[in-house]
Amino acid sequence: MAPKTQRIFGPPGTGKTTALLEVVERHLREGVPPQEIGFMAFTRAAAREAKSRALQVFPWLDNDDLRWFRTIHSACYSLLGLGRGSVATGARLKDFALQFGYEISPPADKDPETFEVQEMMLRTLGDYLLFFEDWRRNLTLWDIAEAYNRFLEPVDCPDGWSLAQVTEFHHRYRHWKADNGLVDFADMLMLVLRDRVAPTISVLIVDEMQDLSPLQAEVIRLWAGGAKLLYLAGDPDQAIYTFNGADPGVFLNWPHDDDRQLTQSHRVPRAVHEIALRLIRRNRKRVDVPYKPQQEEGYVRFGYLNSFPLETLAQEGSVLLLARNRYLLSDFTDDLIRKGLPFEALRGSSPLKQSVTSVILAGRKLGRGEKISVADAARFVDALRSSGYLVRGAKTRLAELARQRPEANVAVWDLEGYFKPALWDLLVNKDGDFIEALRLPALERAYYKRLLDRGGERMLTTQAPIRVGTIHSAKGMEADFVVLRPEMAGRTYAEWLRAPEGERRCWYVGLTRAKKGLWLLEAEGIRAIDWRLEL
């Protein structure tokens, strides 16, 4: 018997997450055992938020009680009883590439418990082959030739791309996984479907339903078969993972008993709301859900990358600097580093995420005569350039001392025997100048100095008001001010020309992150969205 099903439509800023958490609270208060509630989120952050909210309202619960508050992949990983050593990721995937001579961009060692779908940067033929293998399975395209004909336009093909190459990669990859007892993230979904493995739940909640692929949707159908109540939440206008096989039609066409529409945005101001709707209503394949802006007018402005008042915006509130593709972010980050403004990268590394910040703080304490742990002192010394600053063997001797007595405290006077006069002078007599001795590129050393000159150590320890990322990495986020670049990568621009509806949804998500003001940068190349034509 099919569960009673409700679809929840939640346009940007209308409180979809809050509505889902209220569903969780209601059923817990009604006495549904927490172990029988499944909250399947698209991102680990959303799953954590749902679990945290439930634990706050019902403090007698613990994490194990909410075991099915997870991403779909994480739930599959748990149901199958897999271990991290059985997942084809990180170093194992690198071994595959080396064994068969494929050049694959350095693969991250993704934790299956926290894995989430992300936009890939396709640089090499190997990247395309691996992405294709995942893409076709997400779309349940089991015939490789059919999938090959649907995947790329001829103009987008990397050198060496052919049906024979794709087929050979498929066989090699499949046999390599079998020979080594490994599975990848698409395999997890397929194994759950093959073995009909499902959690024992009576209430199933699925967030960001518009971004589920047909393969993920089949897993949800299987799990919903044992539930009494099914809640599907999403916004087809925000379906931005179609590049990985997501299909908003799955959400729109799912059999249901009733719909709930969230219509009042608590984020998007009137000026931004107006142009966002103007853009998305150019799409023909959509449902026009009633959607009202917040009361504030806000503003939309146009400008060039080197002319918008970034420092002023950062003083007035939070800022999101967004681009369609990752390689376009370097202009943002280079400008921030030159200006000495604190920022955080939404994905990947950025200066304030690096351990060097703790090294600098340790050095500042030493310079003031304060004590730090031997372990921190060893990390500080290890980050320094040896030539001209450290006596021979200093790093080795201090590392050994840290292994023997990691909790012991030392002051700068205790380390005098490790330092050459040049470092002692920088550390003790010229507070902060020791940064010059760190093993960092000159531009990064200058960046940390500017940060300290601008606001002292708090610039290294407080949350940066500026965040930089792709539109995909900012999904579900908001900021007072959003700055959006119009340029696109070649393959993205080709998709924009061929089938613009999917790309409009992506730009719509970018526009609607803004709470007060939106800056649309002028294009500095021909492969870009024309704001004035589209808006």
Side-chain angles (χ1 to χ4, degrees):
M1 180 177 177
K4 183 177 180 180
T5 302
Q6 181 183 73
R7 297 187 307 180
I8 301 173
F9 288 81
T14 54
K16 175 173 60 65
T17 300
T18 298
L20 292 182
L21 296 176
E22 289 171 351
V23 169
V24 171
E25 289 181 25
R26 184 173 75 248
H27 287 303
L28 286 172
R29 293 188 188 282
E30 290 171 350
V32 176
Q35 301 89 342
E36 293 185 14
I37 298 178
F39 191 107
M40 298 301 157
F42 193 75
T43 67
R44 61 183 182 270
R48 281 199 305 264
E49 181 180 356
K51 180 179 287 190
S52 175
R53 170 77 170 266
L55 292 175
Q56 288 174 3
V57 177
F58 301 95
W60 57 87
L61 299 179
D62 58 33
N63 276 317
D64 289 341
D65 292 324
L66 303 174
R67 66 185 61 141
W68 299 119
F69 282 54
R70 330 174 68 112
T71 64
I72 295 174
H73 287 90
S74 171
C76 290
Y77 175 77
S78 178
L79 287 166
L80 294 168
L82 298 172
R84 291 194 64 179
S86 61
V87 182
T89 185
R92 296 174 189 83
L93 190 58
K94 185 177 180 180
D95 289 342
F96 165 76
L98 290 172
Q99 180 178 339
F100 293 101
Y102 293 111
E103 184 183 354
I104 295 177
S105 297
D109 192 9
K110 298 172 182 174
D111 183 349
E113 289 284 6
T114 59
F115 169 79
E116 61 186 55
V117 176
Q118 296 182 3
E119 188 177 24
M120 291 183 64
M121 185 176 289
L122 304 179
R123 297 187 180 96
T124 68
L125 175 62
D127 292 343
Y128 275 87
L129 292 168
L130 184 63
F131 178 77
F132 171 81
E133 183 67 8
D134 193 53
W135 171 85
R136 71 169 187 85
R137 288 179 294 165
N138 276 319
L139 278 171
T140 65
L141 296 173
W142 310 122
D143 185 281
I144 293 178
E146 177 191 356
Y148 174 83
N149 290 330
R150 287 179 53 177
F151 184 60
L152 287 176
E153 295 291 320
V155 69
D156 301 322
C157 297
D159 291 341
W161 182 261
S162 68
L163 178 58
Q165 181 75 264
V166 165
T167 304
E168 182 178 54
F169 181 92
H170 162 72
H171 289 300
R172 285 175 169 175
Y173 185 52
R174 186 183 66 178
H175 289 304
W176 170 78
K177 287 186 293 182
D179 291 344
N180 290 277
L182 299 172
V183 297
D184 62 17
F185 293 98
D187 291 331
M188 293 180 194
L189 303 173
M190 294 165 65
L191 287 171
V192 161
L193 290 171
R194 185 196 69 184
D195 298 340
R196 312 294 294 174
V197 183
T200 303
I201 51 180
S202 57
V203 177
L204 178 58
I205 300 165
V206 186
D207 194 11
E208 303 292 3
M209 188 69 186
Q210 78 281 349
D211 282 322
L212 265 59
S213 70
L215 183 61
Q216 292 170 312
E218 286 303 311
V219 171
I220 294 301
R221 285 192 180 92
L222 170 65
W223 294 349
K228 296 178 182 178
L229 297 170
L230 175 63
Y231 298 87
L232 305 176
D235 178 11
D237 286 339
Q238 296 186 75
I240 63 174
Y241 285 89
T242 53
F243 70 89
N244 200 51
D247 180 4
V250 171
F251 179 45
L252 290 172
N253 299 323
W254 196 287
H256 56 284
D257 297 284
D258 68 279
D259 284 336
R260 178 183 175 189
Q261 295 180 345
L262 307 176
T263 60
Q264 177 62 61
S265 180
H266 306 288
R267 174 202 305 153
V268 184
R270 293 177 179 275
V272 176
H273 179 268
E274 179 183 348
I275 66 164
L277 285 188
R278 202 179 300 163
L279 173 72
I280 201 62
R281 282 174 175 166
R282 294 174 67 91
N283 281 3
R284 297 180 179 179
K285 298 177 182 178
R286 63 181 297 271
V287 174
D288 196 17
V289 176
Y291 175 38
K292 297 177 289 186
Q294 62 161 311
Q295 290 301 312
E296 286 73 9
E297 180 63 26
Y299 65 80
V300 178
R301 294 175 186 166
F302 297 85
Y304 286 92
L305 180 61
N306 60 359
S307 65
F308 74 95
L310 180 55
E311 294 183 51
T312 301
L313 295 181
Q315 292 170 359
E316 295 177 355
S318 57
V319 183
L320 270 174
L321 305 181
L322 301 180
R324 176 61 183 84
N325 304 102
R326 273 191 283 177
Y327 84 95
L328 293 165
L329 298 176
S330 60
D331 287 338
F332 283 144
T333 56
D334 289 349
D335 188 50
L336 290 165
I337 288 173
R338 280 194 300 270
K339 292 177 178 177
L341 294 173
F343 72 95
E344 174 187 343
L346 295 180
R347 289 192 177 137
S349 64
S350 54
L352 296 183
K353 282 186 177 180
Q354 296 176 8
S355 59
V356 69
T357 57
S358 61
V359 166
I360 293 174
L361 292 172
R364 298 270 291 189
K365 288 181 179 180
L366 287 173
R368 291 195 297 266
E370 298 176 21
K371 288 188 174 184
I372 64 174
S373 71
V374 173
D376 284 343
R379 283 188 284 269
F380 171 71
V381 168
D382 187 61
L384 298 170
R385 289 180 284 160
S386 296
S387 178
Y389 297 107
L390 298 173
V391 302
R392 182 182 294 274
K395 293 185 179 183
T396 302
R397 287 191 288 121
L398 198 53
E400 180 59 32
L401 182 61
R403 281 192 290 271
Q404 295 173 0
R405 303 175 59 199
E407 301 304 321
N409 291 324
V410 293
V412 67
W413 322 107
D414 303 312
L415 301 173
E416 187 174 2
Y418 297 90
F419 300 160
K420 288 185 177 180
L423 177 60
W424 184 266
D425 185 52
L426 291 175
L427 193 63
V428 177
N429 300 326
K430 300 177 181 177
D431 186 30
D433 279 0
F434 70 86
I435 291 174
E436 190 61 34
L438 294 176
R439 288 185 290 111
L440 291 173
L443 189 61
E444 286 193 34
R445 295 199 301 269
Y447 175 65
Y448 288 113
K449 287 183 180 180
R450 290 192 193 102
L451 283 179
L452 292 169
D453 290 342
R454 181 183 292 273
E457 292 175 15
R458 68 178 181 81
M459 302 295 276
L460 304 180
T461 57
T462 57
Q463 183 172 351
I466 303 171
R467 291 176 291 176
V468 182
T470 64
I471 295 172
H472 286 84
S473 67
K475 180 70 181 295
M477 296 182 178
E478 61 184 21
D480 294 313
F481 307 101
V482 169
V483 181
L484 196 56
R485 288 196 68 169
E487 294 87 1
M488 296 176 246
R491 184 168 183 262
T492 305
Y493 187 65
E495 184 67 14
W496 166 254
L497 296 177
R498 186 184 68 84
E501 293 210 358
E503 286 302 315
R504 282 198 193 102
R505 290 194 290 266
C506 189
W507 293 110
Y508 175 74
V509 167
L511 295 171
T512 54
R513 301 308 92 196
K515 295 167 60 179
K516 294 181 180 179
L518 175 66
W519 285 79
L520 301 177
L521 299 185
E522 300 286 358
E524 297 184 0
I526 60 173
R527 296 186 310 202
I529 181 174
D530 187 329
W531 299 124
R532 290 171 175 81
L533 180 62
E534 290 292 326
L535 306 179

